[in-house]
Amino acid sequence: MASYTDADTPSNCSTTIMDVCGSESRGVIILYSDIKDVSSMPQPPVEIGALVDLAYVVSFSHLEFALHRVLYNQSKKGHLNALPSHICYALSSSKNIPDTQKKYLPSGDTSNAAYLLIDPSDEYLSTLRSSIAAQSLAVEMTEAHFVTSLVTPEKSTALTAVFKLSPHELKIGSLEDAILMKVAVKEVV
């Protein structure tokens, strides 16, 4: 998987573009914070991706993992319908799709979110960014801002409960390691 920051993006913003081996598709992640009214944020078409709430996301790698999984599944199964469901499912350790959508799709109190998109046109990305900036709906944030300001001790405690992590799982590695492992093995267990 290759990952890089879009050169056309202002230096205080980050767009991660991923290419997955064996896939003709590209994945794009755009992070936003300080969302004033999530219902005003443009919703991407379901065949392109989803706007997801970052409340239950442990790290940027968590987002990359989920998008990579969706891109991989798409490369093996062909075009996936209802990408928001697939993205929410890939972020969660649960196999219950309505539960994953409840956790990851934005609600009225969402203040931080990310667009996870597959094969958006450059024109769509430009229009999306311009629309959000023109209406002052949110602030586009960098990966570094995501890590330093959104992963707090309180959030870590909440994530431990949501992902039902045992003390043993937390001793083996970091919280991020435990969550990503739980998400990765849900299909096997």
Side-chain angles (χ1 to χ4, degrees), residues 1-179:
M1 169 178 63
S3 170
Y4 57 91
T5 302
D6 186 346
D8 297 330
T9 305
S11 61
N12 66 333
C13 301
S14 176
T15 300
T16 297
I17 300 173
M18 301 165 47
D19 296 310
V20 179
C21 294
S23 173
E24 298 290 323
S25 300
R26 72 176 179 149
V28 176
I29 301 171
I30 309 173
L31 302 167
Y32 283 96
S33 64
D34 302 324
I35 297 171
K36 292 160 185 47
D37 178 13
V38 74
S39 65
S40 298
M41 295 289 283
Q43 290 296 319
V46 295
E47 64 274 3
I48 292 178
L51 177 65
V52 298
D53 190 335
L54 296 177
Y56 298 110
V57 175
V58 69
S59 67
F60 193 76
S61 295
H62 190 179
L63 294 170
E64 288 180 313
F65 175 84
L67 194 54
H68 185 272
R69 177 177 253 168
V70 172
L71 283 167
Y72 176 80
N73 287 342
Q74 183 170 292
S75 74
K76 296 298 177 201
K77 299 176 183 175
H79 182 74
L80 300 174
N81 294 323
L83 280 177
S85 297
H86 289 279
I87 290 169
C88 293
Y89 184 81
L91 285 165
S92 180
S93 63
S94 171
K95 292 182 181 180
N96 182 331
I97 292 175
D99 182 48
T100 65
Q101 290 176 325
K102 196 181 307 179
K103 282 186 179 105
Y104 291 103
L105 293 179
S107 62
D109 61 348
T110 298
S111 61
N112 301 295
Y115 284 96
L116 277 70
L117 307 168
I118 295 179
D119 289 333
S121 68
D122 291 337
E123 181 182 342
Y124 176 79
L125 289 175
S126 178
T127 302
L128 177 68
R129 278 199 169 103
S130 298
S131 171
I132 293 168
Q135 298 176 51
S136 300
L137 296 174
V139 176
E140 191 168 341
M141 70 175 150
T142 64
E143 180 181 343
H145 179 261
F146 174 76
V147 171
T148 58
S149 66
L150 298 183
V151 182
T152 63
E154 297 81 22
K155 184 174 179 176
S156 296
T157 303
L159 288 171
T160 300
V162 166
F163 284 92
K164 300 175 184 154
L165 299 172
S166 70
H168 176 72
E169 289 171 311
L170 293 171
K171 285 182 188 175
I172 294 172
S174 68
L175 176 64
E176 178 183 17
D177 294 341
I179 289 173

